[in-house]
Amino acid sequence: MIEIGAQVDLSYPPDRVWLALTDRKLLGRWFAEADTVEGVADRLLLHTAELPGFEANVEVEVTERQEPTLLVLACDEAGRLSELTCAVTATSQGCRLEVREVTTHGAWSADQHDPREQQLRQALTVRLPAILDWLAFQQVDLRRVDGGMTTELPLIGALGTSGRARRRRRTVVAVVAGAALLAGTAAWITLPPEATPTAAPASTAAPSPSVTAGKTAAAPSATSSARPSRSGSPSATTRPSRTPSATPPSPNASAAPPPPPAPAVVARYETASSRLFGYTGEVVLDNPSGAAAADWAVVVTLGEGTTVDDVDGADWRQNGRAITFTGAALAAGESRTISFDVRDSRPKARGPESCTIDGQPCAGL
């Protein structure tokens, strides 16, 4: 008995995943086109002959069905028999889908097993989430009716206040605020100009005490006004120059350090595919230098609220939003591709925020 299996955590409820598994048209969008077998209930013909790891179309029949948690199928691929089990388990974030296929008669060749499992993994982690995103989008009502927003986004106002009363109240508030602004502006314009104190000449004799006392009693000094001046800073303030003169470098100053050597391995990022709530990114590594085998480390920084579902072509670890990819050293002239699937709830996001290899930016981003 040979076994092929894969599982994926999905951020959708089990009933929506069940619909993608059992609806014939939806199944054709993320796995393989399916036709009903005339005269036989619960039997389909999957057009898998052109898929990697398959030699012919597969005829399947439902043998056990527990909606929305368990679906068991008996499969016949040109005389090779197998049993396919799809188990859906609810989780706090949505559900987990586990798919397992075991042979009951015959076996897959070595050239079939790995491509077949890879095809199943890619269908579960890339195409199925895209269909589930599409199904979720179908349930969003983007229409607007005469009464305002839709029922999904209700317009909530003050209790007991009609829409006409709210509009009238906003209009009155706007008129009052405009009148207050105009009155304040007029009062500021009509303020009398401030008296500018004139400094006494140095040769003028100091006034007598009696005269000074009389002037003090008659009118306060202009400099004691409580109203601040609307003019700029005092004339005594010295402003620094906005164009400081350049100081020529000292002839003894040390020369700038030489630039760091170019990395032996270079990288280029591209978004291989995108969907409604995510994308598939690829980093292509090349070793154009003469180094026989060069080590490397690629760091990709994702946006807020994004997660990595699947990685192919490298080892990886995550620290916050930074994903570090590592692997075997790259020989001179060798190339390698890292593929990773990202779930991103930002509607306009189609790639990571940054990508570096050994501290140098990746091309293409």
Side-chain angles (χ1 to χ4, degrees):
M1 182 178 67
I2 302 177
E3 179 177 334
I4 286 178
Q7 70 176 26
V8 60
D9 290 324
L10 303 166
S11 56
Y12 290 104
D15 57 344
R16 190 171 298 164
V17 177
W18 178 265
L19 180 63
L21 291 173
T22 57
D23 185 275
R24 182 169 58 88
K25 293 183 179 179
L26 293 178
L27 186 63
R29 290 176 177 264
W30 68 270
F31 185 67
E33 296 289 340
D35 291 330
T36 57
V37 177
E38 186 177 357
V40 182
D42 287 335
R43 181 172 291 186
L44 296 173
L45 180 65
L46 299 180
H47 295 274
T48 56
E50 302 300 326
L51 297 180
F54 291 84
E55 290 183 342
N57 294 336
V58 178
E59 189 173 331
V60 301
E61 183 177 359
V62 178
T63 59
E64 187 175 356
R65 178 190 184 106
Q66 298 178 13
E67 184 177 352
T69 59
L70 182 64
L71 182 67
V72 182
L73 305 173
C75 307
D76 183 352
E77 181 188 359
R80 184 186 297 110
L81 306 181
S82 63
E83 184 179 71
L84 182 69
T85 303
C86 303
V88 182
T89 306
T91 63
S92 58
Q93 301 297 326
C95 68
R96 174 174 297 163
L97 171 61
E98 183 178 3
V99 178
R100 186 171 62 95
E101 184 178 13
V102 295
T103 57
T104 58
H105 178 74
W108 299 297
S109 65
D111 294 335
Q112 286 181 290
H113 183 275
D114 291 345
R116 193 183 187 102
E117 189 168 46
Q118 179 64 24
Q119 173 72 17
L120 178 61
R121 286 181 54 200
Q122 187 172 7
L124 292 182
T125 59
V126 179
R127 295 193 292 271
L128 176 59
I131 289 299
L132 294 174
D133 291 340
W134 179 80
L135 285 175
F137 184 76
Q138 300 305 304
Q139 297 180 357
V140 177
D141 185 6
L142 299 181
R143 296 170 300 172
R144 297 295 182 265
V145 294
D146 295 338
M149 304 292 282
T150 63
T151 55
E152 284 77 11
L153 296 174
L155 183 62
I156 302 176
L159 294 178
T161 305
S162 65
R164 182 179 299 177
R166 288 195 297 272
R167 289 193 295 269
R168 183 167 60 250
R169 184 171 56 197
R170 288 195 294 267
T171 303
V172 172
V173 171
V175 171
V176 174
L181 178 62
L182 290 175
T185 304
W188 183 81
I189 293 175
T190 56
L191 287 175
E194 295 185 62
T196 304
T198 304
S203 60
T204 304
S208 62
S210 60
V211 176
T212 304
K215 289 183 178 180
T216 303
S221 172
T223 58
S224 64
S225 172
R227 179 160 51 88
S229 172
R230 292 194 300 269
S231 61
S233 56
S235 58
T237 304
T238 302
R239 294 184 178 179
S241 173
R242 288 178 293 182
T243 56
S245 59
T247 303
S250 171
N252 298 327
S254 60
V265 180
V266 295
R268 181 181 72 258
Y269 170 82
E270 64 179 13
T271 299
S273 63
S274 59
R275 51 188 184 272
L276 185 61
F277 294 114
Y279 57 90
T280 299
E282 286 187 352
V283 178
V284 181
L285 307 178
D286 289 295
N287 182 6
S289 68
D295 294 329
W296 55 271
V298 173
V299 178
V300 173
T301 303
L302 303 177
E304 286 288 349
T306 58
T307 58
V308 174
D309 285 341
D310 189 35
V311 175
D312 188 23
D315 299 324
W316 64 286
R317 64 180 184 275
Q318 182 170 358
N319 184 12
R321 293 188 296 148
I323 311 297
T324 302
F325 301 101
T326 56
L330 219 60
E334 185 181 356
S335 179
R336 185 173 305 164
T337 300
I338 305 171
S339 176
F340 55 96
D341 298 319
V342 177
R343 291 188 58 80
D344 196 333
S345 59
R346 299 174 300 172
K348 295 183 180 180
R350 289 298 180 266
E353 292 186 354
S354 66
C355 172
T356 62
I357 178 168
D358 299 329
Q360 300 296 321
C362 303
L365 185 64

